[in-house]
Amino acid sequence: MKNIYKALCFVVLATVLVACPNTDDVTVPPLRDYTEVYTEDLAEIEDFLDTHFVTVDADYNTTFELIPDGGTQIPISSIPELQFKLVDAHDLTYKVYYLKLREGIGEAPTRVDSAFVTYKGTIPSDITLTFDQRVEPIWFPLEDVVRGWGEIIPEFKTGTYTDNPDGSITFDDYGAGVMFIPSGLGYFNQTAGVIPQYSPLIFNFKLYDQRFKDHDRDKILSKDEYGVAD
């Protein structure tokens, strides 16, 4: 298991989305006011939650669909799994919605730790667009990814794993959910690949494992040293 983790740590260096996109694919237009953009983002996210329903399969993968006229599907905004967290940044308070499909049974990372995850990313304005996806677990240092990840992933816990005779790994009881990130906690005014500037982001994710970090190697965990422990 440790050898697999080490190998996957190198894979994370090549990822393009959640951390820093390739600069060849990024353009930076003039900066808009954070509060103005957040107002638009929140309205777009809440409209999405009011007008769409979600289907969750046995592996906690999600499918979003628009509620048709006269449809009786329950909107995401009305299901008990929907929660939100308030995040202070850019001199305003962001309301970040997320679906807690399963909390997990292990330990929760903090925003200065690393998470072993799978994920799928889309945007509210085009739910048919998958701009990035990892079906095999990958390590992410949460302080190096978009701010929304560092705020929402710690609301979940890890699960358990079993090493199978064929060398594969089976994960159980892991945390699983969906986060709806305002652009101010995502890419904001950057255009990264197919992601439009000032675009809210939607991530379906599963948290399989975590690693508490000791950045300065002083034998005091960073979550305790920096005052971010739960």
Side-chain angles (χ1 to χ4, degrees):
M1 182 67 179
K2 291 182 179 179
N3 289 335
I4 293 174
Y5 278 10
K6 288 179 181 178
L8 286 170
C9 285
F10 289 101
V11 175
V12 72
L13 298 177
T15 191
V16 295
L17 172 70
V18 182
C20 297
N22 188 312
T23 53
D24 292 337
D25 297 326
V26 176
T27 59
V28 182
L31 191 68
R32 292 179 58 197
D33 178 72
Y34 276 101
T35 300
E36 177 186 10
V37 174
Y38 170 61
T39 300
E40 296 172 0
D41 287 350
L42 183 61
E44 182 176 353
I45 291 170
E46 291 186 336
D47 179 71
F48 181 90
L49 298 175
D50 286 337
T51 58
H52 289 74
F53 69 98
V54 61
T55 302
V56 185
D57 69 15
D59 293 321
Y60 295 94
N61 300 307
T62 55
T63 301
F64 298 105
E65 295 182 66
L66 182 68
I67 299 174
D69 291 340
T72 59
Q73 295 88 347
I74 299 174
I76 301 168
S77 59
S78 297
I79 63 176
E81 292 84 0
L82 183 66
Q83 302 182 29
F84 67 85
K85 179 178 182 179
L86 299 178
V87 177
D88 292 326
H90 311 128
D91 296 321
L92 61 96
T93 299
Y94 289 91
K95 187 175 187 179
V96 186
Y97 287 98
Y98 63 97
L99 291 173
K100 183 166 282 190
L101 304 177
R102 182 165 68 179
E103 183 175 16
I105 64 171
E107 295 183 293
T110 73
R111 64 179 181 270
V112 298
D113 298 318
S114 292
F116 194 51
V117 297
T118 58
Y119 66 90
K120 177 181 178 180
T122 187
I123 55 178
S125 59
D126 185 359
I127 56 175
T128 65
L129 171 69
T130 298
F131 58 73
D132 196 10
Q133 184 173 15
R134 291 293 184 272
V135 296
E136 295 295 331
I138 188 170
W139 282 104
F140 280 125
L142 292 177
E143 75 270 26
D144 292 341
V145 299
V146 295
R147 174 73 181 269
W149 271 64
E151 296 293 341
I152 300 303
I153 293 293
E155 299 298 318
F156 294 77
K157 299 177 181 178
T158 61
T160 61
Y161 67 86
T162 302
D163 291 309
N164 301 314
D166 63 0
S168 64
I169 301 171
T170 299
F171 293 95
D172 294 296
D173 300 318
Y174 48 82
V178 181
M179 64 179 86
F180 303 87
I181 305 177
S183 65
L185 302 179
Y187 283 121
F188 199 55
N189 65 321
Q190 294 180 346
T191 301
V194 297
I195 306 171
Q197 59 177 311
Y198 304 114
S199 177
L201 307 173
I202 301 175
F203 287 100
N204 171 232
F205 62 88
K206 301 166 192 174
L207 173 62
Y208 295 115
D209 203 356
Q210 62 84 35
R211 182 183 293 134
F212 292 130
K213 302 286 287 292
D214 177 9
H215 290 77
D216 54 12
R217 299 183 180 181
D218 62 356
K219 298 183 179 180
I220 301 175
L221 294 176
S222 297
K223 70 185 182 69
D224 299 322
E225 194 166 18
Y226 301 152
V228 297
D230 293 335

